[in-house]
C-alpha cells in the first residue's frame, strides 16, 4: 500500500470563498489537483462557471448576517469542511484622501467583518469535531503600508483574528494561518494597465524577484497550509510577495548601488 503524501488533500473538503475571482479560480484549480473536493463560494453562480467544484454556495460577504446564515445552513446540512480558505476581498480606496466613513465601513464589511461571520461558525464546528484548518488570504498591506488604508486595516485585522483562533482553538485541533500576497497578476490589474501600459515599470523595481506574483503561487501556499504537511504550523503569517517585505530593493539600488 502506497503512503499518501502529506502535501495531498485526497478525501478532504475545502471551502474557498471568492472562488470566481482572479486568485480564487487558481485556488480552485490547485486544490482540485491536490485531491480536494472543493466547495466554491461566491456571490452568484455565473462567477463559478467552468470550475471543477464538488458543490457551490452563494452569499455576499459584505452582508455579515446573510453570510453567517448561509454558512450555518450549510454546516447543518453537510457538516463543517475540513479546511477553509477565506479569500474574498475588495478595495477601491487607494489612499487616505479617498477614504471616508462610508468607504471605511464598506471595506471593513467585506474584508474583515464578513470573513469573521464566515469562519466563526465553521471554527466552532471544527472545534467540536476536533480538527480543521483555516487559511486567511490577507495582504502585504497588513505588514507595512502600500496604500489602500481601509483595506489594509481590515487585512491586518485578519492576522490578529487568525492568531486568536490559533491560540484559543489549537487545543481542539483547529489551525489558522495567514497568506499575505504582494501584487498578484490578476484581472484586477487590467484597468491600471489599460490606463497606463508602463505602470509596471514603476511597480517591478520594488520586487526582489523582479516580477509580480502569479495566482498559482498564492494557491500553492494555501494548499500547503491546509495540508498535513503543515500540521505543526498555526498562527503563522506567510508572505507570498516576490520578496517585497524582505527589504527595500529600490533603496538598495538607488542609494547604495547608485543604479
Amino acid at each position: 500500500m502506497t503512503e499518501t503524501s502529506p502535501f495531498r488533500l485526497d478525501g478532504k473538503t475545502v471551502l474557498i470563498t471568492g472562488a470566481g475571482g482572479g486568485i480564487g479560480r487558481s485556488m480552485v484549480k490547485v486544490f482540485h489537483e491536490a485531491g480536494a473536493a472543493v466547495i466554491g463560494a461566491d456571490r452568484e453562480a455565473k462567477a463559478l462557471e467552468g470550475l471543477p467544484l464538488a458543490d457551490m454556495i452563494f452569499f455576499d460577504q459584505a452582508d455579515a448576517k446573510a453570510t453567517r446564515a448561509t454558512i450555518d445552513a450549510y454546516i447543518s446540512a453537510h457538516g463543517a469542511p475540513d479546511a477553509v480558505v477565506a479569500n474574498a476581498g475588495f478595495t477601491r480606496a487607494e489612499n487616505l484622501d479617498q477614504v471616508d466613513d462610508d468607504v471605511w465601513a464598506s471595506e471593513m464589511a467585506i474584508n474583515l467583518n464578513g470573513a469573521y461571520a464566515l469562519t466563526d461558525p465553521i471554527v466552532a464546528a471544527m472545534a467540536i469535531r476536533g480538527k480543521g484548518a483555516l487559511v486567511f488570504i490577507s495582504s502585504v498591506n497588513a505588514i507595512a503600508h502600500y496604500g489602500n488604508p481601509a483595506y489594509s486595516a481590515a487585512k491586518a485585522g485578519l492576522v490578529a483574528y487568525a492568531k486568536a483562533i490559533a491560540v484559543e482553538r489549537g487545543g481542539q485541533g483547529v489551525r489558522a494561518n495567514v497568506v499575505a500576497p504582494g501584487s498578484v497578476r490578476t484581472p484586477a490589474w487590467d484597468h491600471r494597465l489599460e490606463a497606463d501600459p508602463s505602470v509596471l515599470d514603476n511597480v517591478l523595481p520594488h520586487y526582489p524577484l523582479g516580477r509580480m506574483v502569479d495566482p498559482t503561487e498564492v494557491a500553492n501556499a494555501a494548499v500547503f497550509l491546509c495540508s498535513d504537511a503543515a500540521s505543526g504550523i498555526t498562527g503563522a503569517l506567510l508572505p507570498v510577495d516576490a520578496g517585497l517585505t524582505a527589504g527595500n530593493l529600490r533603496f538598495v539600488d538607488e542609494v547604495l548601488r547608485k543604479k
Side-chain angles (χ1 to χ4, degrees), residues 66-256:
T67 297
R68 183 180 289 271
T70 301
I71 295 302
D72 282 340
Y74 190 88
I75 291 173
S76 294
H78 305 284
D82 295 296
V84 175
V85 180
N87 170 65
F90 175 85
T91 182
R92 276 294 179 267
E94 296 187 337
N95 56 65
L96 281 173
D97 294 333
Q98 297 172 355
V99 175
D100 57 24
D101 287 347
D102 290 339
V103 168
W104 185 272
S106 67
E107 297 207 4
M108 282 290 169
I110 186 169
N111 295 303
L112 182 58
N113 301 342
Y116 168 73
L118 163 78
T119 55
D120 180 56
I122 295 174
V123 169
M126 286 177 169
I128 292 170
R129 183 178 61 203
K131 190 172 184 180
L134 300 98
V135 173
F136 294 89
I137 305 304
S138 179
S139 169
V140 293
N141 293 49
I143 302 170
H145 186 61
Y146 301 101
N148 303 86
Y151 171 85
S152 301
K155 291 297 190 179
L158 287 182
V159 177
Y161 175 46
K163 289 180 182 292
I165 296 169
V167 172
E168 297 193 25
R169 297 293 179 264
Q172 287 79 51
V174 181
R175 296 188 298 110
N177 292 292
V178 179
V179 173
S183 297
V184 183
R185 185 59 183 97
T186 68
W189 275 84
D190 290 349
H191 73 283
R192 289 192 180 102
L193 288 166
E194 287 170 6
D196 180 6
S198 68
V199 66
L200 292 186
D201 293 340
N202 294 322
V203 172
L204 298 186
H206 294 278
Y207 286 87
L209 291 185
R211 61 174 177 81
M212 297 172 75
V213 172
D214 186 86
T216 300
E217 294 174 310
V218 180
N220 286 339
V223 167
F224 165 65
L225 289 171
C226 286
S227 75
D228 288 342
S231 59
I233 302 173
T234 193
L237 171 63
L238 176 61
V240 181
D241 63 358
L244 179 66
T245 57
N248 191 331
L249 175 62
R250 196 156 194 166
F251 179 88
V252 172
D253 280 345
E254 296 180 1
V255 177
L256 305 180

